[in-house]
Amino acid sequence: MLHNAELASTQRAAFECTPASPRSVSSYSLNTLPVELLILIFTFGIADNPDIAPALSLVNRQWRAIMLDLPSLWRRLHLSDANFNAQRLRDKAALWFARTRALPLDIELDTCCRDSVLPLLSYMLLGVERWRDVSYMHSRLRFSTVRDGEQPRLESLLVTLAPKKTITSDLQNTSTPPASPRPWWGGADVPMKKTFQANEERLKQIYVLGVRCLPPPEHVAAFDSVTTLVLMSSSTECDFPMHQVVPFLSAFPALKDLELSNFNELFLVNDPEYRPDCPSLRPAVLPHLQRLSIRGICSSRCILSHLTTPSLRVLSLVHINSSSVYYDFPHPGEHGDSDDESGDFSRSPWTDHATGMGLRRLFARAAPPLRELVMDYADLRTKDFRWLFARLDHLELFHIVASDMSDKVLHALEVDSDVVVAGSAEGSEAGAQRPAILPRLTCLKLAKCQKLTGDAVVRMVSSRVRAAESGRVAAFTELITTECLQVTERDHQELQAIFPPEGRLEYAPGFED
């Protein structure tokens, strides 16, 4: 709640935004009118233009007293992006919420530009529990509500991004939606009104459609209540706009679930976005983030390198591999940027390198206690797999699809009690045991990993089954191998002989294309 001094300053700022001032009207004769009649005049004037409320309260003491004593005169908040000024609009929303006290508020969103929806929405959330009627354009927003008796709050925000060229051409004829609706398309610009309090519905989720450019942090108020954020792009022209996304994420301090998805009609991974200033971009700190999903994004290094996620539990990387094209972008020269010494084959060497370096920065910065890692058409270099596995002491589930990982990666997961760490005391009976990699791994799913051999899988599983008996690692509960060409039925039979009987063991043979 604003204090009196702050309210006065805010009121003056709001007054500067109003189109007309009653100071030009002689107030001498009006002061002789009964208060009741003045209130009626104010009510009719505000009904025609709610923005005159601050100006009315600055005319004289009597008018100010009336405006401050009657919260009902402030029950309409009109937010427009005409002559957009972030600070003034934020002050205006704060003033109206303060003046209405506990009364419900009607809000009018007047947005000519799609990119202004998110800033205006962030200012409205200051008093979300008091929303009554919200007027907006159907092509800009969708509201999702529930009836559960809880306090109204925005928990989930979904934003669809669209190329500037496409949005411009579509808006030339908004009355006719495209023949093939796109994920970001909101339809025609039809005025809509959503009522919240009459039917006891509470706000839970908002969809913001067709944003061309995410707002900079200084243009938005913090989305303090949002715990789930989905940013989805349908661009066929370029990759995900990481240099807009990373700063924008700083407006979500309570975020727990984050999904970044790049969908397009051809299901292609676009060329990565390259910016020479990428290393200087300030990382987004998300202290409560637990789930991160990245889908269809080639610029994986940029996003992973600029997140600080100390509480991350689940990481999903899906369809982020490009073709065998090698982009001639200079590397920042960070530790690990050198070529992979193993020389293993890869169908996507550039994205393997980029994803691996991004993961190195992500886990070096905060060491999150990751429990689940899903890599579906996402891959790493051998040395990046080894580096990462050595730091995932809490990982319980690893699911990988269409990887070119070699037997060397599985060899790193073997647990051998006879191994002596270099530098152990000479002459000791057994020396020091090498620490087990992924000591809590219980669920392993390998699909379409065509460079893995059945012998390597059997050796790795055998070593971990023995180590589990001595308590060095957790026991396997699930092992699934699907369409791996070099894992045969014979290998599966060997696994059946050693796999814990209470566990789930599944196998599906692979076939040549």
Side-chain angles (χ1 to χ4, degrees), residues 77 79 90 93-94 97 105 107 109 117-131 134 143 152-157 196 203-206 208 220-226 251-252:
L77 171 61
L79 293 176
R90 188 182 308 194
F97 280 116
L105 196 67
I107 303 176
L109 275 181
V117 173
L118 283 167
L120 297 184
L121 181 62
S122 71
Y123 312 149
M124 291 167 50
L125 292 175
L126 176 66
V128 63
E129 71 283 353
R130 289 159 50 201
W131 290 3
V134 177
F143 293 100
R153 65 185 182 279
L154 179 61
E155 299 175 1
S156 178
L157 178 64
F196 287 92
L203 177 68
K204 183 176 182 180
Q205 187 174 45
I206 291 180
V208 180
V220 294
F223 291 86
D224 291 326
S225 63
V226 174
F252 298 85

mmCIF file of all heavy atoms in Angstrom, residues 77 79 90 93-94 97 105 107 109 117-131 134 143 152-157 196 203-206 208 220-226 251-252:
data_model
loop_
_atom_site.group_PDB
_atom_site.id
_atom_site.type_symbol
_atom_site.label_atom_id
_atom_site.label_comp_id
_atom_site.label_asym_id
_atom_site.label_seq_id
_atom_site.Cartn_x
_atom_site.Cartn_y
_atom_site.Cartn_z
ATOM 1 N N LEU A 77 -10.133 1.496 -14.106
ATOM 2 C CA LEU A 77 -8.726 1.729 -14.451
ATOM 3 C C LEU A 77 -8.547 1.500 -15.949
ATOM 4 O O LEU A 77 -8.785 0.402 -16.450
ATOM 5 C CB LEU A 77 -7.816 0.796 -13.655
ATOM 6 C CG LEU A 77 -6.338 0.771 -14.055
ATOM 7 C CD1 LEU A 77 -5.711 2.161 -13.887
ATOM 8 C CD2 LEU A 77 -5.581 -0.269 -13.228
ATOM 9 N N LEU A 79 -5.881 1.384 -18.895
ATOM 10 C CA LEU A 79 -4.458 1.293 -19.214
ATOM 11 C C LEU A 79 -4.303 1.225 -20.726
ATOM 12 O O LEU A 79 -4.794 0.290 -21.373
ATOM 13 C CB LEU A 79 -3.841 0.042 -18.566
ATOM 14 C CG LEU A 79 -3.769 0.036 -17.041
ATOM 15 C CD1 LEU A 79 -3.232 -1.296 -16.531
ATOM 16 C CD2 LEU A 79 -2.897 1.185 -16.529
ATOM 17 N N ARG A 90 2.865 2.250 -14.573
ATOM 18 C CA ARG A 90 2.974 1.484 -13.320
ATOM 19 C C ARG A 90 2.478 2.327 -12.143
ATOM 20 O O ARG A 90 1.743 1.834 -11.278
ATOM 21 C CB ARG A 90 4.433 1.071 -13.100
ATOM 22 C CG ARG A 90 4.623 0.114 -11.931
ATOM 23 C CD ARG A 90 6.092 -0.231 -11.701
ATOM 24 N NE ARG A 90 6.755 -0.689 -12.912
ATOM 25 C CZ ARG A 90 7.935 -1.301 -12.916
ATOM 26 N NH1 ARG A 90 8.561 -1.522 -11.781
ATOM 27 N NH2 ARG A 90 8.498 -1.676 -14.047
ATOM 28 N N ALA A 93 -1.413 2.522 -12.231
ATOM 29 C CA ALA A 93 -2.084 1.328 -11.703
ATOM 30 C C ALA A 93 -1.986 1.290 -10.185
ATOM 31 O O ALA A 93 -2.966 0.969 -9.485
ATOM 32 C CB ALA A 93 -1.476 0.074 -12.317
ATOM 33 N N ALA A 94 -0.817 1.606 -9.638
ATOM 34 C CA ALA A 94 -0.650 1.602 -8.185
ATOM 35 C C ALA A 94 -1.573 2.615 -7.520
ATOM 36 O O ALA A 94 -2.145 2.350 -6.451
ATOM 37 C CB ALA A 94 0.809 1.901 -7.834
ATOM 38 N N PHE A 97 -5.265 1.288 -7.523
ATOM 39 C CA PHE A 97 -5.467 0.213 -6.545
ATOM 40 C C PHE A 97 -5.453 0.770 -5.123
ATOM 41 O O PHE A 97 -6.179 0.282 -4.245
ATOM 42 C CB PHE A 97 -4.392 -0.866 -6.707
ATOM 43 C CG PHE A 97 -4.664 -1.827 -7.831
ATOM 44 C CD1 PHE A 97 -3.818 -1.893 -8.923
ATOM 45 C CD2 PHE A 97 -5.778 -2.653 -7.807
ATOM 46 C CE1 PHE A 97 -4.060 -2.763 -9.963
ATOM 47 C CE2 PHE A 97 -6.039 -3.528 -8.849
ATOM 48 C CZ PHE A 97 -5.180 -3.580 -9.935
ATOM 49 N N LEU A 105 -12.395 -3.757 -8.822
ATOM 50 C CA LEU A 105 -11.945 -2.791 -9.818
ATOM 51 C C LEU A 105 -12.238 -3.316 -11.217
ATOM 52 O O LEU A 105 -12.032 -4.494 -11.513
ATOM 53 C CB LEU A 105 -10.441 -2.550 -9.655
ATOM 54 C CG LEU A 105 -9.833 -1.319 -10.328
ATOM 55 C CD1 LEU A 105 -10.347 -0.058 -9.670
ATOM 56 C CD2 LEU A 105 -8.315 -1.379 -10.233
ATOM 57 N N ILE A 107 -11.116 -3.026 -15.119
ATOM 58 C CA ILE A 107 -9.884 -2.663 -15.824
ATOM 59 C C ILE A 107 -10.113 -2.741 -17.324
ATOM 60 O O ILE A 107 -10.665 -3.721 -17.825
ATOM 61 C CB ILE A 107 -8.723 -3.589 -15.413
ATOM 62 C CG1 ILE A 107 -8.505 -3.533 -13.895
ATOM 63 C CG2 ILE A 107 -7.442 -3.203 -16.145
ATOM 64 C CD1 ILE A 107 -7.451 -4.492 -13.394
ATOM 65 N N LEU A 109 -8.049 -2.720 -20.807
ATOM 66 C CA LEU A 109 -6.749 -2.822 -21.472
ATOM 67 C C LEU A 109 -6.907 -2.343 -22.905
ATOM 68 O O LEU A 109 -7.559 -3.004 -23.722
ATOM 69 C CB LEU A 109 -6.257 -4.268 -21.454
ATOM 70 C CG LEU A 109 -5.506 -4.752 -20.216
ATOM 71 C CD1 LEU A 109 -5.087 -6.189 -20.391
ATOM 72 C CD2 LEU A 109 -4.298 -3.889 -19.940
ATOM 73 N N VAL A 117 1.283 -5.790 -24.126
ATOM 74 C CA VAL A 117 0.348 -6.540 -23.276
ATOM 75 C C VAL A 117 1.032 -7.018 -22.000
ATOM 76 O O VAL A 117 0.486 -6.883 -20.898
ATOM 77 C CB VAL A 117 -0.258 -7.728 -24.045
ATOM 78 C CG1 VAL A 117 -1.096 -8.603 -23.113
ATOM 79 C CG2 VAL A 117 -1.115 -7.235 -25.202
ATOM 80 N N LEU A 118 2.224 -7.576 -22.121
ATOM 81 C CA LEU A 118 2.909 -8.110 -20.939
ATOM 82 C C LEU A 118 3.227 -7.039 -19.904
ATOM 83 O O LEU A 118 2.970 -7.246 -18.704
ATOM 84 C CB LEU A 118 4.177 -8.858 -21.357
ATOM 85 C CG LEU A 118 3.953 -10.252 -21.952
ATOM 86 C CD1 LEU A 118 5.219 -10.773 -22.613
ATOM 87 C CD2 LEU A 118 3.470 -11.219 -20.882
ATOM 88 N N PRO A 119 3.779 -5.874 -20.291
ATOM 89 C CA PRO A 119 3.993 -4.827 -19.277
ATOM 90 C C PRO A 119 2.704 -4.392 -18.587
ATOM 91 O O PRO A 119 2.654 -4.306 -17.348
ATOM 92 C CB PRO A 119 4.623 -3.686 -20.073
ATOM 93 C CG PRO A 119 5.274 -4.338 -21.232
ATOM 94 C CD PRO A 119 4.385 -5.486 -21.585
ATOM 95 N N LEU A 120 1.643 -4.120 -19.363
ATOM 96 C CA LEU A 120 0.390 -3.674 -18.757
ATOM 97 C C LEU A 120 -0.187 -4.749 -17.848
ATOM 98 O O LEU A 120 -0.727 -4.455 -16.772
ATOM 99 C CB LEU A 120 -0.615 -3.302 -19.845
ATOM 100 C CG LEU A 120 -0.238 -2.123 -20.754
ATOM 101 C CD1 LEU A 120 -1.378 -1.808 -21.707
ATOM 102 C CD2 LEU A 120 0.140 -0.901 -19.949
ATOM 103 N N LEU A 121 -0.076 -5.987 -18.267
ATOM 104 C CA LEU A 121 -0.571 -7.089 -17.444
ATOM 105 C C LEU A 121 0.176 -7.160 -16.117
ATOM 106 O O LEU A 121 -0.426 -7.400 -15.056
ATOM 107 C CB LEU A 121 -0.408 -8.403 -18.209
ATOM 108 C CG LEU A 121 -0.887 -9.673 -17.515
ATOM 109 C CD1 LEU A 121 -2.387 -9.613 -17.248
ATOM 110 C CD2 LEU A 121 -0.553 -10.899 -18.367
ATOM 111 N N SER A 122 1.476 -6.932 -16.152
ATOM 112 C CA SER A 122 2.255 -6.998 -14.904
ATOM 113 C C SER A 122 1.824 -5.914 -13.928
ATOM 114 O O SER A 122 1.836 -6.117 -12.710
ATOM 115 C CB SER A 122 3.751 -6.880 -15.207
ATOM 116 O OG SER A 122 4.113 -5.571 -15.617
ATOM 117 N N TYR A 123 1.406 -4.743 -14.422
ATOM 118 C CA TYR A 123 0.950 -3.678 -13.527
ATOM 119 C C TYR A 123 -0.410 -4.029 -12.928
ATOM 120 O O TYR A 123 -0.695 -3.681 -11.775
ATOM 121 C CB TYR A 123 0.853 -2.348 -14.270
ATOM 122 C CG TYR A 123 2.066 -1.990 -15.106
ATOM 123 C CD1 TYR A 123 1.937 -1.236 -16.271
ATOM 124 C CD2 TYR A 123 3.341 -2.410 -14.741
ATOM 125 C CE1 TYR A 123 3.037 -0.908 -17.042
ATOM 126 C CE2 TYR A 123 4.441 -2.098 -15.512
ATOM 127 C CZ TYR A 123 4.288 -1.352 -16.670
ATOM 128 O OH TYR A 123 5.378 -1.044 -17.435
ATOM 129 N N MET A 124 -1.246 -4.712 -13.690
ATOM 130 C CA MET A 124 -2.575 -5.100 -13.203
ATOM 131 C C MET A 124 -2.521 -6.115 -12.067
ATOM 132 O O MET A 124 -3.411 -6.165 -11.214
ATOM 133 C CB MET A 124 -3.397 -5.722 -14.339
ATOM 134 C CG MET A 124 -3.807 -4.764 -15.434
ATOM 135 S SD MET A 124 -4.425 -5.655 -16.874
ATOM 136 C CE MET A 124 -5.619 -6.760 -16.130
ATOM 137 N N LEU A 125 -1.478 -6.933 -12.059
ATOM 138 C CA LEU A 125 -1.411 -8.027 -11.082
ATOM 139 C C LEU A 125 -1.211 -7.530 -9.657
ATOM 140 O O LEU A 125 -1.309 -8.314 -8.716
ATOM 141 C CB LEU A 125 -0.280 -8.992 -11.462
ATOM 142 C CG LEU A 125 -0.514 -9.796 -12.751
ATOM 143 C CD1 LEU A 125 0.721 -10.608 -13.086
ATOM 144 C CD2 LEU A 125 -1.730 -10.698 -12.604
ATOM 145 N N LEU A 126 -0.931 -6.241 -9.497
ATOM 146 C CA LEU A 126 -0.764 -5.679 -8.154
ATOM 147 C C LEU A 126 -1.993 -5.934 -7.283
ATOM 148 O O LEU A 126 -1.876 -6.150 -6.079
ATOM 149 C CB LEU A 126 -0.491 -4.173 -8.261
ATOM 150 C CG LEU A 126 -0.387 -3.394 -6.952
ATOM 151 C CD1 LEU A 126 0.843 -3.839 -6.170
ATOM 152 C CD2 LEU A 126 -0.329 -1.891 -7.227
ATOM 153 N N GLY A 127 -3.184 -5.917 -7.897
ATOM 154 C CA GLY A 127 -4.421 -6.146 -7.140
ATOM 155 C C GLY A 127 -5.298 -7.184 -7.790
ATOM 156 O O GLY A 127 -6.518 -6.980 -7.917
ATOM 157 N N VAL A 128 -4.722 -8.303 -8.199
ATOM 158 C CA VAL A 128 -5.464 -9.317 -8.953
ATOM 159 C C VAL A 128 -6.666 -9.854 -8.177
ATOM 160 O O VAL A 128 -7.688 -10.226 -8.764
ATOM 161 C CB VAL A 128 -4.517 -10.474 -9.354
ATOM 162 C CG1 VAL A 128 -3.973 -11.179 -8.120
ATOM 163 C CG2 VAL A 128 -5.224 -11.451 -10.277
ATOM 164 N N GLU A 129 -6.591 -9.860 -6.852
ATOM 165 C CA GLU A 129 -7.699 -10.388 -6.053
ATOM 166 C C GLU A 129 -8.922 -9.469 -6.093
ATOM 167 O O GLU A 129 -10.010 -9.867 -5.656
ATOM 168 C CB GLU A 129 -7.249 -10.603 -4.604
ATOM 169 C CG GLU A 129 -7.021 -9.344 -3.788
ATOM 170 C CD GLU A 129 -5.699 -8.650 -4.107
ATOM 171 O OE1 GLU A 129 -4.906 -9.246 -4.887
ATOM 172 O OE2 GLU A 129 -5.461 -7.548 -3.580
ATOM 173 N N ARG A 130 -8.775 -8.259 -6.653
ATOM 174 C CA ARG A 130 -9.889 -7.314 -6.695
ATOM 175 C C ARG A 130 -10.399 -7.059 -8.110
ATOM 176 O O ARG A 130 -11.213 -6.169 -8.334
ATOM 177 C CB ARG A 130 -9.470 -6.003 -6.031
ATOM 178 C CG ARG A 130 -9.334 -6.149 -4.512
ATOM 179 C CD ARG A 130 -8.466 -5.071 -3.914
ATOM 180 N NE ARG A 130 -8.869 -3.752 -4.341
ATOM 181 C CZ ARG A 130 -8.062 -2.680 -4.305
ATOM 182 N NH1 ARG A 130 -6.816 -2.829 -3.868
ATOM 183 N NH2 ARG A 130 -8.487 -1.511 -4.698
ATOM 184 N N TRP A 131 -9.903 -7.821 -9.089
ATOM 185 C CA TRP A 131 -10.421 -7.674 -10.437
ATOM 186 C C TRP A 131 -11.915 -8.018 -10.457
ATOM 187 O O TRP A 131 -12.336 -9.022 -9.890
ATOM 188 C CB TRP A 131 -9.705 -8.599 -11.400
ATOM 189 C CG TRP A 131 -8.278 -8.245 -11.685
ATOM 190 C CD1 TRP A 131 -7.544 -7.241 -11.135
ATOM 191 C CD2 TRP A 131 -7.411 -8.937 -12.581
ATOM 192 N NE1 TRP A 131 -6.273 -7.247 -11.629
ATOM 193 C CE2 TRP A 131 -6.154 -8.288 -12.523
ATOM 194 C CE3 TRP A 131 -7.556 -10.031 -13.420
ATOM 195 C CZ2 TRP A 131 -5.072 -8.706 -13.286
ATOM 196 C CZ3 TRP A 131 -6.483 -10.461 -14.178
ATOM 197 C CH2 TRP A 131 -5.248 -9.793 -14.109
ATOM 198 N N VAL A 134 -12.660 -7.253 -16.647
ATOM 199 C CA VAL A 134 -11.464 -6.898 -17.409
ATOM 200 C C VAL A 134 -11.835 -6.883 -18.882
ATOM 201 O O VAL A 134 -12.271 -7.894 -19.432
ATOM 202 C CB VAL A 134 -10.309 -7.885 -17.155
ATOM 203 C CG1 VAL A 134 -9.106 -7.529 -18.022
ATOM 204 C CG2 VAL A 134 -9.908 -7.874 -15.681
ATOM 205 N N PHE A 143 -7.913 -15.899 -20.674
ATOM 206 C CA PHE A 143 -7.875 -16.100 -19.233
ATOM 207 C C PHE A 143 -8.371 -17.505 -18.914
ATOM 208 O O PHE A 143 -9.371 -17.966 -19.473
ATOM 209 C CB PHE A 143 -8.763 -15.074 -18.510
ATOM 210 C CG PHE A 143 -8.277 -13.663 -18.612
ATOM 211 C CD1 PHE A 143 -8.839 -12.785 -19.531
ATOM 212 C CD2 PHE A 143 -7.252 -13.214 -17.803
ATOM 213 C CE1 PHE A 143 -8.396 -11.483 -19.633
ATOM 214 C CE2 PHE A 143 -6.797 -11.900 -17.900
ATOM 215 C CZ PHE A 143 -7.371 -11.037 -18.816
ATOM 216 N N PRO A 152 -7.336 -15.566 -5.319
ATOM 217 C CA PRO A 152 -6.958 -15.365 -6.724
ATOM 218 C C PRO A 152 -5.481 -15.020 -6.862
ATOM 219 O O PRO A 152 -4.958 -14.177 -6.141
ATOM 220 C CB PRO A 152 -7.844 -14.197 -7.164
ATOM 221 C CG PRO A 152 -8.992 -14.208 -6.217
ATOM 222 C CD PRO A 152 -8.439 -14.680 -4.913
ATOM 223 N N ARG A 153 -4.832 -15.666 -7.803
ATOM 224 C CA ARG A 153 -3.431 -15.360 -8.097
ATOM 225 C C ARG A 153 -3.077 -15.973 -9.451
ATOM 226 O O ARG A 153 -3.607 -17.024 -9.824
ATOM 227 C CB ARG A 153 -2.491 -15.901 -7.015
ATOM 228 C CG ARG A 153 -2.464 -17.421 -6.907
ATOM 229 C CD ARG A 153 -1.621 -17.889 -5.737
ATOM 230 N NE ARG A 153 -1.550 -19.339 -5.658
ATOM 231 C CZ ARG A 153 -2.479 -20.108 -5.141
ATOM 232 N NH1 ARG A 153 -3.582 -19.562 -4.632
ATOM 233 N NH2 ARG A 153 -2.337 -21.418 -5.104
ATOM 234 N N LEU A 154 -2.227 -15.331 -10.159
ATOM 235 C CA LEU A 154 -1.754 -15.850 -11.433
ATOM 236 C C LEU A 154 -0.636 -16.845 -11.170
ATOM 237 O O LEU A 154 0.433 -16.477 -10.692
ATOM 238 C CB LEU A 154 -1.254 -14.708 -12.327
ATOM 239 C CG LEU A 154 -0.722 -15.136 -13.686
ATOM 240 C CD1 LEU A 154 -1.803 -15.818 -14.510
ATOM 241 C CD2 LEU A 154 -0.143 -13.935 -14.440
ATOM 242 N N GLU A 155 -0.881 -18.109 -11.497
ATOM 243 C CA GLU A 155 0.105 -19.158 -11.260
ATOM 244 C C GLU A 155 0.881 -19.523 -12.516
ATOM 245 O O GLU A 155 2.042 -19.911 -12.438
ATOM 246 C CB GLU A 155 -0.587 -20.409 -10.713
ATOM 247 C CG GLU A 155 -1.302 -20.206 -9.387
ATOM 248 C CD GLU A 155 -2.064 -21.437 -8.956
ATOM 249 O OE1 GLU A 155 -2.013 -22.455 -9.682
ATOM 250 O OE2 GLU A 155 -2.711 -21.392 -7.900
ATOM 251 N N SER A 156 0.221 -19.420 -13.666
ATOM 252 C CA SER A 156 0.831 -19.896 -14.904
ATOM 253 C C SER A 156 0.665 -18.853 -16.005
ATOM 254 O O SER A 156 -0.409 -18.277 -16.169
ATOM 255 C CB SER A 156 0.180 -21.223 -15.334
ATOM 256 O OG SER A 156 0.721 -21.682 -16.548
ATOM 257 N N LEU A 157 1.725 -18.625 -16.750
ATOM 258 C CA LEU A 157 1.712 -17.667 -17.855
ATOM 259 C C LEU A 157 2.278 -18.348 -19.092
ATOM 260 O O LEU A 157 3.377 -18.914 -19.057
ATOM 261 C CB LEU A 157 2.545 -16.438 -17.503
ATOM 262 C CG LEU A 157 2.664 -15.353 -18.586
ATOM 263 C CD1 LEU A 157 1.301 -14.741 -18.894
ATOM 264 C CD2 LEU A 157 3.646 -14.265 -18.146
ATOM 265 N N PHE A 196 -14.809 -11.739 -13.148
ATOM 266 C CA PHE A 196 -14.149 -12.671 -12.234
ATOM 267 C C PHE A 196 -14.925 -12.915 -10.943
ATOM 268 O O PHE A 196 -14.991 -14.043 -10.468
ATOM 269 C CB PHE A 196 -12.750 -12.155 -11.878
ATOM 270 C CG PHE A 196 -11.775 -12.276 -13.007
ATOM 271 C CD1 PHE A 196 -11.588 -11.235 -13.902
ATOM 272 C CD2 PHE A 196 -11.061 -13.440 -13.201
ATOM 273 C CE1 PHE A 196 -10.704 -11.342 -14.953
ATOM 274 C CE2 PHE A 196 -10.172 -13.570 -14.255
ATOM 275 C CZ PHE A 196 -9.994 -12.508 -15.135
ATOM 276 N N LEU A 203 -8.639 -16.331 -11.027
ATOM 277 C CA LEU A 203 -7.642 -16.405 -12.084
ATOM 278 C C LEU A 203 -6.557 -17.422 -11.725
ATOM 279 O O LEU A 203 -6.095 -17.477 -10.588
ATOM 280 C CB LEU A 203 -7.006 -15.031 -12.280
ATOM 281 C CG LEU A 203 -5.880 -14.943 -13.305
ATOM 282 C CD1 LEU A 203 -6.422 -15.172 -14.706
ATOM 283 C CD2 LEU A 203 -5.188 -13.592 -13.212
ATOM 284 N N LYS A 204 -6.167 -18.221 -12.720
ATOM 285 C CA LYS A 204 -5.080 -19.172 -12.514
ATOM 286 C C LYS A 204 -4.021 -19.063 -13.608
ATOM 287 O O LYS A 204 -2.830 -19.125 -13.336
ATOM 288 C CB LYS A 204 -5.609 -20.602 -12.470
ATOM 289 C CG LYS A 204 -4.524 -21.639 -12.183
ATOM 290 C CD LYS A 204 -5.099 -23.036 -12.059
ATOM 291 C CE LYS A 204 -3.991 -24.038 -11.725
ATOM 292 N NZ LYS A 204 -4.527 -25.409 -11.606
ATOM 293 N N GLN A 205 -4.470 -18.892 -14.854
ATOM 294 C CA GLN A 205 -3.534 -18.917 -15.980
ATOM 295 C C GLN A 205 -3.928 -17.864 -17.005
ATOM 296 O O GLN A 205 -5.111 -17.572 -17.199
ATOM 297 C CB GLN A 205 -3.535 -20.300 -16.626
ATOM 298 C CG GLN A 205 -2.496 -20.509 -17.708
ATOM 299 C CD GLN A 205 -2.473 -21.945 -18.203
ATOM 300 O OE1 GLN A 205 -3.517 -22.545 -18.456
ATOM 301 N NE2 GLN A 205 -1.290 -22.511 -18.340
ATOM 302 N N ILE A 206 -2.921 -17.293 -17.665
ATOM 303 C CA ILE A 206 -3.143 -16.322 -18.735
ATOM 304 C C ILE A 206 -2.307 -16.719 -19.942
ATOM 305 O O ILE A 206 -1.143 -17.107 -19.812
ATOM 306 C CB ILE A 206 -2.771 -14.895 -18.282
ATOM 307 C CG1 ILE A 206 -3.761 -14.386 -17.221
ATOM 308 C CG2 ILE A 206 -2.785 -13.931 -19.467
ATOM 309 C CD1 ILE A 206 -3.455 -12.983 -16.729
ATOM 310 N N VAL A 208 -0.863 -15.092 -23.408
ATOM 311 C CA VAL A 208 -0.590 -13.856 -24.142
ATOM 312 C C VAL A 208 -0.129 -14.265 -25.533
ATOM 313 O O VAL A 208 0.852 -15.010 -25.675
ATOM 314 C CB VAL A 208 0.474 -12.999 -23.431
ATOM 315 C CG1 VAL A 208 0.748 -11.720 -24.219
ATOM 316 C CG2 VAL A 208 0.021 -12.657 -22.014
ATOM 317 N N VAL A 220 8.609 -4.049 -16.984
ATOM 318 C CA VAL A 220 7.616 -4.926 -16.357
ATOM 319 C C VAL A 220 7.783 -4.915 -14.844
ATOM 320 O O VAL A 220 8.892 -4.750 -14.320
ATOM 321 C CB VAL A 220 7.721 -6.378 -16.870
ATOM 322 C CG1 VAL A 220 7.354 -6.455 -18.346
ATOM 323 C CG2 VAL A 220 9.113 -6.950 -16.637
ATOM 324 N N ALA A 221 6.658 -5.073 -14.168
ATOM 325 C CA ALA A 221 6.698 -5.321 -12.725
ATOM 326 C C ALA A 221 6.884 -6.815 -12.512
ATOM 327 O O ALA A 221 6.529 -7.629 -13.364
ATOM 328 C CB ALA A 221 5.400 -4.842 -12.079
ATOM 329 N N ALA A 222 7.439 -7.198 -11.398
ATOM 330 C CA ALA A 222 7.723 -8.607 -11.139
ATOM 331 C C ALA A 222 6.440 -9.433 -11.111
ATOM 332 O O ALA A 222 5.446 -9.047 -10.508
ATOM 333 C CB ALA A 222 8.474 -8.759 -9.819
ATOM 334 N N PHE A 223 6.479 -10.573 -11.801
ATOM 335 C CA PHE A 223 5.377 -11.536 -11.751
ATOM 336 C C PHE A 223 5.609 -12.441 -10.538
ATOM 337 O O PHE A 223 5.967 -13.616 -10.659
ATOM 338 C CB PHE A 223 5.331 -12.363 -13.037
ATOM 339 C CG PHE A 223 4.914 -11.586 -14.252
ATOM 340 C CD1 PHE A 223 5.851 -10.883 -15.003
ATOM 341 C CD2 PHE A 223 3.592 -11.562 -14.656
ATOM 342 C CE1 PHE A 223 5.471 -10.174 -16.132
ATOM 343 C CE2 PHE A 223 3.197 -10.852 -15.783
ATOM 344 C CZ PHE A 223 4.141 -10.158 -16.524
ATOM 345 N N ASP A 224 5.379 -11.896 -9.357
ATOM 346 C CA ASP A 224 5.772 -12.575 -8.114
ATOM 347 C C ASP A 224 5.038 -13.886 -7.871
ATOM 348 O O ASP A 224 5.574 -14.775 -7.200
ATOM 349 C CB ASP A 224 5.536 -11.645 -6.916
ATOM 350 C CG ASP A 224 6.494 -10.471 -6.908
ATOM 351 O OD1 ASP A 224 7.643 -10.657 -7.341
ATOM 352 O OD2 ASP A 224 6.096 -9.379 -6.476
ATOM 353 N N SER A 225 3.806 -14.025 -8.369
ATOM 354 C CA SER A 225 3.013 -15.218 -8.065
ATOM 355 C C SER A 225 3.157 -16.315 -9.106
ATOM 356 O O SER A 225 2.718 -17.446 -8.888
ATOM 357 C CB SER A 225 1.531 -14.845 -7.947
ATOM 358 O OG SER A 225 1.039 -14.352 -9.187
ATOM 359 N N VAL A 226 3.777 -16.017 -10.242
ATOM 360 C CA VAL A 226 3.862 -16.993 -11.337
ATOM 361 C C VAL A 226 4.894 -18.069 -11.010
ATOM 362 O O VAL A 226 6.061 -17.770 -10.765
ATOM 363 C CB VAL A 226 4.213 -16.293 -12.661
ATOM 364 C CG1 VAL A 226 4.449 -17.322 -13.766
ATOM 365 C CG2 VAL A 226 3.105 -15.340 -13.065
ATOM 366 N N ALA A 251 12.117 -11.341 -14.289
ATOM 367 C CA ALA A 251 10.856 -10.832 -13.732
ATOM 368 C C ALA A 251 10.033 -11.923 -13.058
ATOM 369 O O ALA A 251 8.909 -11.664 -12.630
ATOM 370 C CB ALA A 251 10.026 -10.180 -14.841
ATOM 371 N N PHE A 252 10.593 -13.137 -12.920
ATOM 372 C CA PHE A 252 9.842 -14.261 -12.360
ATOM 373 C C PHE A 252 10.614 -14.890 -11.194
ATOM 374 O O PHE A 252 11.157 -15.986 -11.305
ATOM 375 C CB PHE A 252 9.577 -15.316 -13.441
ATOM 376 C CG PHE A 252 8.738 -14.804 -14.577
ATOM 377 C CD1 PHE A 252 9.322 -14.135 -15.646
ATOM 378 C CD2 PHE A 252 7.366 -14.961 -14.570
ATOM 379 C CE1 PHE A 252 8.563 -13.643 -16.696
ATOM 380 C CE2 PHE A 252 6.584 -14.473 -15.608
ATOM 381 C CZ PHE A 252 7.181 -13.816 -16.669
#
